[in-house]
Amino acid sequence: MWGTGSGKSRQSSLVRGHRRMQQVPTRTPCSHSALAGGDGGDACPCPAGGPHCRPMFRSRRTGLVRRLWRQRCATAGPEDGPSTLKPAAHALFKKLKDEDLELLVLAVESRGAWESSCVWAPRGDARGAKQGLPPQVLLCRLFRWPDVHQPHELKHLCYCAGHRGVCGDLAALCCNPHHFSRLAVPETPPPSYSKASCGPSWPDEPQHPGTQLLEFSCKGGDWHDTSLSQSTIKDGCWCKLAYWEHRTRVGRLYAVHEASVNVFCELPWGSGFCLAQLPAAHRSRAVRRARGKIGRGLLLSREPGGIWAYNRSKHPIFVSSPTLSPPGARRLTVLKVLPGYSAKVFDYEQVGGKGGWRLPGEGPSDPHSIRISFAKGWGPCYSRQFITSCPCWLEVLLNQLC
């Protein structure tokens, strides 16, 4: 009887010990061992439980990689599909710290709906099928644009710390694919709709008291723009935003004091100029349909040398400003910015000391303003000849001291 009981006790102890061994977490390689070329936690000089070597169950890390791989975008052909990028991508995932891998998963699964943190990766080529492909290009190609090939095709967004150069480690760079945008530049050969007339922002018929229309006055034969109050220069904001539906301005001017501002109807996380909160007594079906396409809208940022617009929505935006036109042009250029693309929509150096422009047959144009139409273009190739015919559009009134 005694011997039998001892055998059962020893068997229970062995089972409990086996269970404890199965629950021991596996330490993943930290940045030190990855940069040194190591492939395990034993080569890492960090103490156990240190900030760079927090243990993560291998099954959890594998699950994160699987979640990432499910979010890859489709490609046009099998010759350069996600399977050819898989060795390089998995090699890069192994180099990421645990917290960076989790941040990457959140950023990719949210599809850029919120301003996520930077995902730092060691510089250098990812080992695998695609030799020499930088980490940011690899992930942008895998999760956003399969046709991107070179770093110069991408632009850091204004809230990326890698763009501002605040990362103290020169051996690391941000590879968060939603911290980048594609470049839409006027210098590229534009399609036929791009050389379009910038519609005037004034009524064809005399305006009546009480209506909210862009205000222009004529004094001594010269046009003067009075839509921007002189308080813009005094209150410290670099621009004010006016939202229009056809010829009618909706809501008040929105003053921008921060370096960037979101303009949106539906944004899960973030703040800025929410167009959905602006009331209107009567909206036509065209306006309601266009407002439904604004979604996450755009990000407007003041950066060195000019103003940039990043299209965060699922539909194109159309932009015009005096500096988008080539020198000597008699018409203003309307630039189409596709979803996920950025464009430098205003250049401080080009505007120089230009006064008000008076285009033949169109009237005056404020040289310190930007006009952006959501989802609908205008010009000779469209039924809408002027921007005042667009259902929903935004006017950016710049402080001339910017």
Side-chain angles (χ1 to χ4, degrees), residues 9-22:
S9 300
R10 286 194 297 270
Q11 186 178 4
S12 300
S13 300
L14 289 174
V15 171
R16 287 194 298 269
H18 180 66
R19 290 176 178 173
R20 284 195 297 268
M21 290 176 63
Q22 289 181 333

Side-chain angles (χ1 to χ4, degrees), residues 286-305:
V287 171
R288 293 195 302 268
R289 199 161 46 234
R291 283 174 60 87
K293 297 180 179 180
I294 295 176
R296 299 175 186 173
L298 60 93
L299 174 67
L300 198 68
S301 60
R302 181 180 63 169
E303 302 182 24

